[in-house]
Amino acid sequence: MAAFLGLFRRDLSLALRQGGDTGLVLGFFVLAVVLFPFGVGPEPELLRRIGAGIVWVAALLAALLSLDRLFEADYQDGELDLLVLSNLPLELAVLAKCAAHWVATGLPLALISPLLALLVDLDPASIARLFASILIGTPALSLVGSVAAALSLGARRRSVVLSLLVLPLYIPPLIFGAGAVEASEIGDGARAYLLVLGAISLAALALCPWASAAALRQALD
Amino acid sequence: MINWLANPARFIRVSEKAVPWCGWTAAAVLALGLFWSLVLAPPDYQQGDTVRIMYVHVPAAWMALSVYLFVAVASAVALVWRHPLAEVAARSAAPVGAAFTFVCLATGSLWGRPMWGAWWVWDARLTSVLVLFFLYLGYIALVNAFDDPSRGGRAGAVLALVGVVNLPIIKFSVDWWNTLHQPASVMRIGGPRIAVSMLVPLVIMAAGFMLLFALLLMVRMRTALNERKAMALRLNAGAVAPRQPEPEPAVAAHTAIS
């Protein structure tokens, strides 16, 4: 447990202090959302209609950008070899790194999303649903992304391969995340979407550390 | 059978005999199936002749799923038992599966235009098959992204197993969601719900597609094995051949002129 917490704290402080990773990801997120009104026109009705989707897609891309850093630096300087050899099971080490990644990217993305929702003119109820869906969905993004990040270690044109692997796997969270915001307030619409999104995140929590650890082991073989 | 074929040299010998047989059978079955489905089979009472697209679309869709399952099983075998042929089989099958998936999407789109009035709709079945296509592409990209081919094979194997999650979603998407795509009418509990005059050519086409896959798989595996052998020979030749003596440096002449 001490090793788990130590690894978590180390990754988190690296992400927060070193060159402002979190700041860069947030900056990208904001800019990506701001680009859309220029592209599709500033009519509030149109933006309100597609706003949730825009914010979600931008959040996906921002999470994708940050995946590069999840294992790459540790792979380069040999730290991953030490992690494999250490007493901490590699699955738990992956979990610690994913948790740190989520606190450093997913959580800030969720926190800033209400602000961006104002830019695309969502109403308060939709903003609350958007915040909840991003908060619930981003753990799945970090966990699923960790598998692809581990698989693509050492590949040629790594970032392109990484995005090709990750984006198809990000479609289910996107469908249910954006769907939760657009679901009508009648009945259980939004709640059902959020529950499915939570199920996706929990399934990713249960399965992805195993897959990532297997991928890391074969990368270091 | 599988264990016996596990030896690559034996596989090369056996497949050399099997490829022509498989090829001619596939050609014959496909020709029969195409003739039956395009000429003999009756037009649908609602769709008219457009229904004939189904005879290519449905077998392609079955193959798209089955080939992915094949890639996943071969990947699992390659990961667990380090089976030398399983990895070659998985990486050789993937592009064929991607092609089947593309055929399935393209024919579905051609059928959808007159029937649904749209080339594409974002319903669950179509979307999940599109994701399958992207998974194939990601697998192919990952397998070829490493300088060390065995590294790419292992990374691809893990990815193929992760992607298996999508298969039940595709299969049951028509039951879980209200899709525009019709629910299963052949492989369903309670027997097929399709006229025999249409079922027979459909089954023949499916058999033809399966033979075609077996043929392409064997040819691609043989190519991959030969490629690997050629690379090993080249590396060996490079290691054994004596180095050429380096030419004498021409420095003296230069200094003399200047």
Side-chain angles (χ1 to χ4, degrees):
Chain A
M1 201 59 207
F4 181 89
L5 283 179
L7 186 59
F8 173 77
R9 219 172 290 137
R10 164 188 173 276
D11 265 37
L12 192 59
S13 42
L14 276 179
L16 292 180
R17 288 176 197 162
Q18 205 178 42
D21 276 349
T22 304
L24 285 178
V25 169
L26 287 181
F28 174 84
F29 183 43
V30 174
L31 267 177
V33 171
V34 166
L35 280 183
F36 276 87
F38 293 112
V40 301
E43 293 85 9
E45 301 82 44
L46 179 66
L47 288 179
R48 207 174 298 138
R49 173 72 195 76
I50 60 175
I54 292 174
V55 174
W56 251 98
V57 169
L60 284 192
L61 294 177
L64 171 68
L65 269 191
S66 64
L67 284 178
D68 246 353
R69 305 229 347 121
L70 194 51
F71 297 119
E72 180 69 13
D74 291 346
Y75 177 69
Q76 299 280 3
D77 65 11
E79 173 117 18
L80 269 185
D81 295 282
L82 294 180
L83 270 182
V84 172
L85 293 175
S86 72
N87 286 328
L88 186 66
L90 193 54
E91 287 78 11
L92 280 181
V94 168
L95 202 57
K97 289 182 88 67
C98 286
H101 180 260
W102 181 73
V103 174
T105 57
L107 192 59
L109 287 180
L111 290 177
I112 205 174
S113 63
L115 203 64
L116 292 173
L118 290 178
L119 287 182
V120 292
D121 202 31
L122 293 182
D123 56 273
S126 301
I127 293 180
R129 287 199 295 265
L130 180 69
F131 175 71
S133 69
I134 292 191
L135 195 64
I136 296 173
T138 38
L141 302 188
S142 294
L143 287 159
V144 172
S146 78
V147 181
L151 281 174
S152 62
L153 281 179
R156 290 186 300 257
R157 291 182 299 280
R158 175 163 183 276
S159 47
V160 183
V161 173
L162 180 61
S163 49
L164 201 56
L165 296 185
V166 154
L167 289 179
L169 298 174
Y170 274 3
I171 290 176
L174 173 64
I175 290 174
F176 291 102
V181 186
E182 282 164 19
S184 67
E185 289 176 56
I186 313 156
D188 261 0
R191 189 162 162 269
Y193 278 99
L194 289 178
L195 286 176
V196 174
L197 197 59
I200 292 175
S201 280
L202 288 175
L205 181 65
L207 298 175
C208 289
W210 302 98
S212 295
L216 285 180
R217 285 204 185 89
Q218 62 86 20
L220 297 172
D221 236 9
Chain B
M1 178 71 180
I2 299 290
N3 261 330
W4 184 73
L5 272 180
N7 180 336
R10 194 177 289 145
F11 172 81
I12 289 272
R13 275 204 310 280
V14 172
S15 62
E16 189 164 14
K17 301 232 167 48
V19 160
W21 282 100
C22 193
W24 287 113
T25 330
V29 172
L30 277 177
L32 174 70
L34 278 177
F35 181 69
W36 200 317
S37 54
L38 295 185
V39 180
L40 295 183
D44 188 78
Y45 81 104
Q46 264 184 335
Q47 304 176 16
D49 281 332
T50 320
V51 76
R52 302 186 195 283
I53 294 176
M54 184 262 300
Y55 298 113
V56 175
H57 175 71
V58 173
W62 286 344
M63 290 313 292
L65 289 188
S66 323
V67 173
Y68 194 88
L69 197 61
F70 175 86
V71 171
V73 171
S75 298
V77 172
L79 274 185
V80 175
W81 289 291
R82 301 273 160 133
H83 198 305
L85 268 183
E87 188 201 305
V88 178
R91 77 165 57 197
S92 308
V96 185
F100 279 127
T101 316
F102 180 76
V103 168
C104 167
L105 288 170
T107 51
S109 172
L110 289 175
W111 181 88
R113 179 63 199 161
M115 289 300 126
W116 294 342
W119 295 107
W120 184 263
V121 290
W122 289 97
D123 88 355
R125 175 58 74 87
L126 278 71
T127 311
S128 50
V129 174
L130 188 65
V131 172
L132 180 71
F133 184 59
F134 288 140
L135 277 177
Y136 271 122
L137 293 189
Y139 175 87
I140 296 167
L142 184 65
V143 163
N144 295 318
F146 294 92
D147 294 323
D148 172 12
S150 70
R151 177 70 217 289
R154 273 176 289 140
V158 176
L159 178 70
L161 291 177
V162 171
V164 170
V165 182
N166 192 28
L167 290 190
I169 298 181
I170 297 178
K171 173 77 185 111
F172 297 112
S173 57
V174 282
D175 305 327
W176 293 344
W177 288 283
N178 289 321
T179 54
L180 195 53
H181 194 286
Q182 61 267 47
S185 46
V186 178
M187 292 188 184
R188 61 188 280 277
I189 301 164
R193 203 172 46 190
I194 170 172
V196 178
S197 57
M198 292 181 175
L199 185 62
V200 174
L202 183 62
V203 169
I204 295 177
M205 284 301 284
F209 271 52
M210 234 172 261
L211 284 165
L212 181 65
F213 170 64
L215 172 75
L216 291 174
L217 178 66
M218 276 193 286
V219 171
R220 287 186 56 87
M221 282 177 72
R222 286 172 57 82
T223 314
L225 287 173
N226 285 335
E227 213 168 47
R228 207 166 273 192
K229 213 190 286 173
M231 190 187 258
L233 282 178
R234 211 177 309 137
L235 287 178
N236 273 341
V240 173
R243 290 243 174 104
Q244 296 288 324
E246 288 185 15
E248 286 291 317
V251 181
H254 276 289
T255 41
I257 291 165
S258 61

